[in-house]
Amino acid sequence: MTPEPTTTLTDVDLPETPLTTPEVPAHESASEAAANGKNGRRLSLQDLKAFYGDNEAVHGINLEYNPNEVTAMIGPSGCGKSTVLRCINRMHEEIPGAYSTGKVLLDGLDVYASDVDLTAVRRAIGMVFQKPTPFPTLSIFDNVAAGLKLAGIKGVEASDRVEWALKGAGLWNEVKDRLNSPGIGLSGGQQQRLCIARTIAVEPELILMDEPCSALDPIATLRVEELIQELKEQFTIVIVTHNMQQAARVADRTAFFLLGDLVEVGPTESIFTNPTDSRTEEYVSGKFG
Amino acid sequence: MDTPVRRILTGVAALILVIIAFFLIRLYIEARPVFSAYGATHFVFDNAWLPSKNLYGAWPLIAGTLITSAIALIIGVPIAVAAALFVTELCPRPLRATLTILVDLLAAVPSVVYGLWAVFFLIPKIKPAEQWFSDTFSFLPFVGGQVAGPNYFIAGLLLATMIIPIVSAISREVLATVPQEHKEAALALGATRWEMIRLAVLPYSRAGISGAAMLGLGRALGETIAVTLVIGNSAHLGSTIFSQGYTLAAVIANEFGEAASNPVHRASLIAAGLVLFLLTLVVNFIARFYVTRAEKKMLGGAPVAEPVATGAAA
Ligand SMILES: Nc1ncnc2c1ncn2[C@@H]1O[C@H](COP(=O)(O)OP(=O)(O)OP(=O)(O)O)[C@@H](O)[C@H]1O
Ligand SMILES: [Mg+2]
């Protein structure tokens, strides 16, 4: 694939493709869909390179993310974890001058294919950011419903989904009596769970999390980690973290990055106890980074 | 804050209030002859301004000021905000600087030039369109009948052009403060660029944009020379937006020379200035109230910082 400038990718409305949010059939509520075992998708990166202008920040990565597993991406600051993550849902190209090459395949479908609808990609691949970002003027309910509105889901179905998502994010009991109060009135940890609810409400196939706990206190962190464990029943999850213990606690597999390269990937346990590469060993044992 | 700095700031803030109060009092004293001769209520609400017949009813002027400013806001603010949105969020990067400079250049045109341009170009060019609008939409209130060359609408349109640069420049600043994370959060949910603007950008900058509109309104209310040239300077309140009218600022500019020999006329012009001043203050207070309320709503009842002026003056 050749590098494409960002402008050609962003504003074009492309024809419908298979890569749209799977709509829940009308007779089936969101929670039923969940109970029926909605599965996450397999994601593979093939020779993914990412550029900021002339600067190549990620140097050709090949990586598989298994469905319904949590994959952690670790590595020292600046090694390109966030960049890889943002290439997956095509947020990378929002940065002026930034572009990527290679393939990002969601169950075999290239999200960079020219007939793929950009908004559909982002709906299928949810993202939780480092800092909680509830929309400032919206109520708790409307925050969670924001993505649903964009997808054209309204009315009773939207309220069902909001409830389901807030329950899924472990926030329902705390907010069910004040759904109409502003989202930014919540605590930091609650806000982050609100953002997770907002992300899962549209039922993505994959969830990307970029250091989702770095702005949270230990208890809120623990709460989100438990949540990640529950969410992987239905979603494939990719999480970037600086916290080695966190990777060890939540991830099934862990990938170690260094200077824009993937050094090693494997089951979390073996990465932490028995890494094959000496650089991985030095990093996980805290010798640098 | 340490005490000396605090004292100095308090002093400066108090000084501003004192100067404003002094202005008001001085204007009131100078204007008193007309109030004592006709009564303040008559001065404000009588619908005839004919100094030659000793009629000083400022209502056509007050209404004209409000009508033209309202038209300016209704036309100018959406265009200014759209221009700001286009420059900050939509237009290709290389075009940005050029567009910004072009919009800002509108502010560099002297207002008398705007006025002349309107008299010799805008009025004749736009009159057929106005007449068509007036005939077609005559069922609307304040529309219909014969269109006058100079009229409220032309003045409002001209004022809109004149407030666009300032409103647009401030809106651009405000839009630039929207955190990247909020915009990305919207995009990551599958929002298109326009949906992102509605979801993350506009709500975040609503209060700031209202503030920008307020400054534009301040300029529109007080603008003198351009309006004087295109308003028609009519003694009575017009019945449609295409009628000739008058504004407070225009009357002062037009009649101050001839009023020197007539103390009541002179006092009445100063009274018009006083009314304009009060009008600007009231409009600002109302606008400020709405902005604060919008901010409060946004913060969800969280305590809002004391307004600076009262805090400092206390
Ligand atoms: N907006 C940008 N413009 C230019 N270069 C960038 C930009 N963002 C990141 N980079 C560069 O890309 C490289 C990878 O950055 P990235 O943010 O992906 O690292 P990271 O692994 O997420 O680091 P951290 O752990 O600190 O979040 C860095 O060398 C950085 O300098
Ligand atoms: Mg990062």
Side-chain angles (χ1 to χ4, degrees), chain B residues 1-115:
Chain B
M1 215 189 315
D2 36 336
T3 336
V5 178
R6 193 195 184 109
R7 282 214 188 110
I8 291 170
L9 291 182
T10 310
V12 171
L15 191 65
I16 293 172
L17 287 183
V18 168
I19 291 173
I20 291 179
F22 177 75
F23 263 149
L24 277 173
I25 291 167
R26 193 73 223 159
L27 281 174
Y28 178 74
I29 292 171
E30 298 273 340
R32 209 162 43 186
V34 73
F35 291 143
S36 47
Y38 300 97
T41 326
H42 279 287
F43 178 77
V44 172
F45 292 108
D46 277 6
N47 183 8
W49 181 272
L50 293 166
S52 55
K53 295 186 183 160
N54 267 330
L55 289 176
Y56 298 103
W59 181 241
L61 319 175
I62 296 170
T65 301
L66 292 175
I67 292 167
T68 51
S69 300
I71 294 173
L73 279 194
I74 290 168
I75 298 174
V77 170
I79 295 177
V81 173
L85 273 176
F86 183 74
V87 168
T88 50
E89 302 293 341
L90 299 171
C91 97
R93 226 145 249 271
L95 263 179
R96 269 182 205 186
T98 321
L99 277 176
T100 306
I101 291 170
L102 278 180
V103 174
D104 287 353
L105 265 184
L106 285 178
V109 181
S111 40
V112 66
V113 176
Y114 271 113

Side-chain angles (χ1 to χ4, degrees), chain A residues 87-102:
Chain A
C87 284
I88 296 173
N89 69 341
R90 294 184 61 177
M91 288 302 289
H92 180 62
E93 65 201 52
E94 291 296 329
I95 295 169
Y99 64 94
S100 62
T101 66

Side-chain angles (χ1 to χ4, degrees), chain B residues 149-197:
Chain B
N151 62 44
Y152 293 120
F153 177 77
I154 292 278
L157 191 62
L158 192 58
L159 286 173
T161 321
M162 298 173 77
I163 65 169
I164 281 174
I166 177 89
V167 178
S168 195
I170 296 172
S171 299
R172 273 201 312 270
E173 304 273 312
V174 170
L175 293 174
T177 65
V178 177
Q180 191 61 24
E181 302 104 72
H182 284 288
K183 298 198 254 177
E184 293 197 341
L187 290 175
L189 275 178
T192 61
R193 213 137 260 276
W194 170 238
E195 287 166 338
M196 171 199 87
I197 288 171

Side-chain angles (χ1 to χ4, degrees), chain A residues 52 55 57-58 75-84 95 130 210-211 240 242:
Chain A
Y52 292 97
N55 171 27
V58 174
S77 190
C79 68
K81 307 177 295 288
S82 299
T83 306
V84 170
I95 295 169
Q130 186 167 354
D210 195 348
E211 302 180 40
V240 169
H242 268 146

Side-chain angles (χ1 to χ4, degrees), chain A:
Chain A
M1 186 168 173
T2 51
E4 293 182 72
T6 51
T7 42
T8 60
L9 288 170
T10 42
D11 294 330
V12 194
D13 258 336
L14 293 161
E16 276 290 291
T17 67
L19 197 68
T20 50
T21 319
E23 296 291 344
V24 181
H27 60 273
E28 190 185 34
S29 80
S31 39
E32 280 169 35
N36 292 347
K38 181 184 170 338
N39 282 327
R41 301 258 182 136
R42 170 179 300 278
L43 177 76
S44 39
L45 310 181
Q46 293 179 359
D47 195 28
L48 180 74
K49 289 184 183 155
F51 300 82
Y52 292 97
D54 296 332
N55 171 27
E56 183 177 316
V58 174
H59 314 299
I61 285 185
N62 291 287
L63 183 54
E64 294 278 325
Y65 301 88
N66 296 332
N68 297 91
E69 277 190 9
V70 178
T71 306
M73 308 209 301
I74 61 169
S77 190
C79 68
K81 307 177 295 288
S82 299
T83 306
V84 170
L85 205 67
R86 292 166 57 90
C87 284
I88 296 173
N89 69 341
R90 294 184 61 177
M91 288 302 289
H92 180 62
E93 65 201 52
E94 291 296 329
I95 295 169
Y99 64 94
S100 62
T101 66
K103 284 203 162 99
V104 176
L105 302 175
L106 193 63
D107 268 359
L109 218 142
D110 189 356
V111 303
Y112 280 90
S114 62
D115 60 343
V116 160
D117 179 1
L118 184 67
T119 57
V121 169
R122 296 195 179 138
R123 231 173 279 146
I125 306 177
M127 187 167 205
V128 177
F129 295 84
Q130 186 167 354
K131 271 197 252 161
T133 52
F135 296 122
T137 46
L138 298 186
S139 67
I140 293 173
F141 181 95
D142 288 339
N143 256 288
V144 182
L148 298 172
K149 232 186 205 164
L150 295 175
I153 299 166
K154 295 188 202 92
V156 182
E157 195 188 347
S159 348
D160 285 351
R161 286 250 211 139
V162 168
E163 182 175 341
W164 170 79
L166 281 170
K167 280 179 178 156
L171 195 58
W172 177 251
N173 286 331
E174 289 154 71
V175 301
K176 63 170 184 260
D177 300 322
R178 48 168 170 153
L179 289 174
N180 288 322
S181 55
I184 50 171
L186 297 172
S187 75
Q190 289 173 324
Q191 285 186 19
Q192 193 63 311
R193 278 181 283 144
L194 182 69
C195 291
I196 294 176
R198 180 174 74 190
T199 304
I200 64 177
V202 291
E203 304 204 321
E205 331 215 331
L206 186 88
I207 300 178
L208 308 172
M209 298 181 165
D210 195 348
E211 302 180 40
C213 301
S214 61
L216 305 185
D217 68 61
I219 293 176
T221 299
L222 211 65
R223 190 70 202 82
V224 171
E225 286 178 6
E226 286 167 16
L227 180 57
I228 292 172
Q229 291 303 314
E230 292 160 22
L231 291 176
K232 78 172 182 184
E233 306 292 324
Q234 297 163 58
F235 305 98
T236 306
I237 294 176
V238 182
I239 178 171
V240 169
T241 176
H242 268 146
N243 181 330
M244 234 76 75
Q245 286 82 30
Q246 180 169 65
R249 283 193 299 263
V250 300
D252 301 294
R253 296 208 317 149
T254 297
F256 172 61
F257 289 78
L258 193 59
L259 298 170
D261 282 308
L262 172 64
V263 174
E264 182 172 358
V265 59
T268 299
E269 220 180 81
S270 63
I271 293 286
F272 281 101
T273 56
N274 189 19
T276 52
D277 196 294
S278 60
R279 291 170 295 176
T280 316
E281 168 155 30
E282 281 173 33
Y283 183 72
V284 298
S285 60
K287 292 216 178 73
F288 73 90

Side-chain angles (χ1 to χ4, degrees), chain B residues 205-269:
Chain B
S205 32
R206 201 167 51 193
I209 289 175
S210 319
M214 225 159 72
L215 282 178
L217 179 59
R219 164 134 205 223
L221 286 172
E223 172 54 41
T224 311
I225 196 68
V227 173
T228 310
L229 290 171
V230 301
I231 190 73
N233 303 338
S234 136
H236 296 279
L237 179 61
S239 56
T240 76
I241 59 168
F242 299 116
S243 310
Q244 301 199 352
Y246 222 160
T247 68
L248 289 162
V251 93
I252 298 171
N254 266 339
E255 297 179 4
F256 212 80
E258 61 190 86
S261 54
N262 179 348
V264 179
H265 192 185
R266 182 174 173 279
S268 73
L269 291 183

